[in-house]
Amino acid sequence: MKGTVWICSYLALLLLQATAEEDDFSSVLRDRSHIDETLRLANEEKAADYAAAIQRLRKVYHTSIKPMEQAYRYNELRQHEISAYPGRTLGDSATDGEITSKPMVLFLGPWSVGKSSMINYLLGLNDSPYQLYTGAEPTTSEFTVIMHGEKIRSVEGIVMAADSSRSFSPLEKFGQNFLEKLIGIEMPHKLLERVTFVDTPGIIENRKQQERGYPFNDVCQWFIDRADLIFVVFDPTKLDVGLELEMLFRQLKGRESQIRIILNKADNLATQDLMRVYGALFWSLAPLINVTEPPRVYVSSFWPYDYAPDTSRELFKREEISLLEDLNQVIENRMENKIAFIRQHAIRVRIHALLVDRYVQTFKDKMSFFSDPELVFQEIVDDPDKYYIFKSILAKTNVSKFDLPNRDAYRDFFGINPITNFKPLTAQCSYIGGCLLDKIEKAITNELPALLSSINSGKQPGLSSCELTGCGEKPKNRYRKN
């Protein structure tokens, strides 16, 4: 009997020692110098050049693009488009907050896979009063926006949505229940001067959207549309794909270049088990990501403590640095990406205006004294191909067929915007202001590419001499019939 007690006591002592050694090991903090070095946080930015480029971009948007948006109500077309334009969108209508906003990095994935821990690690918030709460259970129930500020403070969702200087005012459309689940955290940090992080509630497959009290998928779509980089995080224990995760990847379609898949907590596994888990993750995601080139999966452990013993430490370190380099690339190219994005938006606004103009012209040509306006236009909307609405745009304006929006979107668009509310493009001209079409085409072909070239060449963008003096040119309306 005494021997049995002694053996039990000895085993308990060994277990306590092993637990103590594990705790001691997990309390050893990892060196973070490579984060600052890879992200070049010590380098000073050329704030004056960046501010000048932003000012010029804002001027081009407000003078050349926004008037066309408003004249042909482009924002209302966007509300009815579902898959016509995969990729990042500008929103209902661009604001100064959206133009001047920093790159957004969005964290998505199942619950308790380490999304919040990863943000804490990147910002060095661990063991500080301001770290995001983490745990083994589902902990993040809010959409948390971590952004730069002069002092550390939290901002309520209703305040963020009401502040027009920020880019979050469109979130009001998701209702007060959602705004109560939106929170902002401001803090002075070198990394947050260049990027904004968004932490999202973890996906729980046994929870229905209605139980959240707001349209979770629609809110995710709003952030996905505006994200410059999307981290989809998994861990070795949560590789199964349910309905909610499948819906999420459906929303990510068309944005594969922005997605980075992360297998977190990789140091919890031995090398052989890690290879099996890596293969299982690929097998789970293969039906959801329909691209020729397989997505890159980053394998590491993103938290501040040292890697577990007898694991692939060097591999994890290299994978982490590779992911940081991707993040740095987005930060370094943020101005170029913003200009290219505004130009893409201008192309879409121009195509929309050309299509509405074609609908207006066709409606006027078909109308007669005895015609019923509603029946005539309904016939045009129901079968636009019969009247060559879209084909005529392709033939006359050098527009790619891949850039055309969905035909069905215009049925809904004209359902709330009568055709009689719109003027043809030939009537959208003034002697002083010029023609809306000429101005947006000049922005697409000249002004925005020139601004992009000045950024790439390191020249400070400024106003051209013609913009200062006007060059004395009379605005020409090449759409007006002589």
Side-chain angles (χ1 to χ4, degrees), residues 340-395:
F341 163 59
I342 293 293
R343 183 176 181 273
Q344 183 185 43
H345 174 72
I347 291 172
R348 293 170 178 172
V349 173
R350 171 179 171 267
I351 291 173
H352 168 67
L354 290 170
L355 284 170
V356 173
D357 176 71
R358 183 61 185 166
Y359 274 104
V360 171
Q361 294 291 349
T362 304
F363 174 69
K364 289 186 175 182
D365 292 343
K366 294 292 295 180
M367 278 295 296
S368 65
F369 184 77
F370 297 103
S371 299
D372 184 336
E374 291 187 7
L375 293 177
V376 169
F377 190 67
Q378 191 63 45
E379 183 181 354
I380 298 172
V381 170
D382 288 343
D383 191 6
D385 290 337
K386 177 181 178 181
Y387 300 96
Y388 303 100
I389 299 290
F390 287 80
K391 289 183 179 179
S392 63
I393 298 299
L394 292 174

Side-chain angles (χ1 to χ4, degrees), residues 236-249:
T237 65
K238 300 180 182 67
L239 302 180
D240 55 322
V241 176
L243 292 177
E244 195 163 74
L245 192 59
E246 186 176 346
M247 173 62 73
L248 177 65
F249 272 92

Side-chain angles (χ1 to χ4, degrees), residues 8-290:
C8 292
S9 301
Y10 178 71
L11 291 175
L13 180 60
L14 289 178
L15 180 61
L16 288 172
Q17 288 177 343
T19 304
E21 289 176 1
E22 184 178 346
D23 291 341
D24 290 341
F25 182 81
S26 64
S27 64
V28 176
L29 293 177
R30 195 188 307 172
D31 180 27
R32 295 185 69 260
S33 60
H34 64 284
I35 297 179
D36 294 351
E37 182 179 342
T38 306
L39 297 178
R40 302 175 186 173
L41 298 183
N43 296 353
E44 291 295 330
E45 290 190 299
K46 297 180 179 179
D49 291 349
Y50 183 78
I54 285 291
Q55 183 180 6
R56 175 74 182 276
L57 182 61
R58 186 188 297 142
K59 180 180 184 297
V60 170
Y61 171 74
H62 282 288
T63 59
S64 302
I65 302 173
K66 190 171 184 178
M68 186 75 90
E69 276 184 21
Q70 295 174 333
Y72 290 95
R73 300 185 182 180
Y74 176 75
N75 61 317
E76 296 185 20
L77 173 72
R78 294 296 306 168
Q79 294 175 6
H80 297 290
E81 284 185 292
I82 299 175
S83 59
Y85 290 138
R88 190 180 172 197
T89 61
L90 194 58
D92 294 344
S93 182
T95 64
D96 285 346
E98 287 178 308
I99 293 175
T100 60
S101 63
K102 301 177 180 67
M104 180 187 294
V105 179
L106 181 65
F107 290 78
L108 299 170
W111 58 275
S112 196
V113 293
K115 300 186 296 294
S116 302
S117 297
M118 189 172 176
I119 295 175
N120 287 335
Y121 173 56
L122 292 174
L123 297 176
L125 299 180
N126 295 84
D127 298 327
S128 74
Y130 316 106
Q131 67 174 345
L132 301 182
Y133 180 67
T134 61
E137 74 284 0
T139 54
T140 303
S141 60
E142 299 92 6
F143 282 80
T144 307
V145 181
I146 303 97
M147 49 197 167
H148 182 264
E150 296 301 323
K151 60 181 181 179
I152 298 176
R153 70 185 186 111
S154 61
V155 185
E156 296 295 328
I158 54 174
V159 177
M160 294 173 62
D163 189 351
S164 60
S165 65
R166 304 179 191 270
S167 57
F168 302 103
S169 54
L171 289 171
E172 279 188 311
K173 65 184 178 183
F174 297 118
Q176 293 300 311
N177 284 342
F178 165 70
L179 293 181
E180 292 178 0
K181 294 293 184 179
L182 175 67
I183 187 170
I185 299 176
E186 291 183 346
M187 63 180 68
H189 195 284
K190 291 290 290 184
L191 180 54
L192 294 178
E193 290 179 6
R194 308 179 186 187
V195 71
T196 296
F197 290 134
V198 178
D199 192 15
T200 62
I203 293 172
I204 304 176
E205 294 297 349
N206 60 357
R207 173 180 291 174
K208 298 180 180 179
Q209 257 202 78
Q210 296 87 334
E211 296 177 7
R212 295 183 186 268
Y214 61 90
F216 176 74
N217 287 338
D218 293 341
V219 174
C220 284
Q221 189 68 63
W222 190 91
F223 282 102
I224 288 170
D225 288 343
R226 286 152 183 81
D228 296 85
L229 199 58
I230 302 170
F231 290 158
V232 185
V233 188
F234 295 89
D235 76 4
T237 65
K238 300 180 182 67
L239 302 180
D240 55 322
V241 176
L243 292 177
E244 195 163 74
L245 192 59
E246 186 176 346
M247 173 62 73
L248 177 65
F249 272 92
R250 204 174 299 157
Q251 293 177 279
L252 292 170
K253 187 176 181 181
R255 299 167 177 86
E256 286 79 10
S257 62
Q258 299 162 276
I259 298 173
R260 302 295 183 271
I261 296 174
I262 299 170
L263 180 56
N264 199 15
K265 307 180 184 179
D267 63 340
N268 289 345
L269 300 173
T271 303
Q272 189 174 8
D273 294 333
L274 181 59
M275 292 175 63
R276 293 195 183 102
V277 168
Y278 186 87
L281 179 60
F282 256 102
W283 184 83
S284 298
L285 298 182
L288 305 180
I289 304 179
N290 188 19

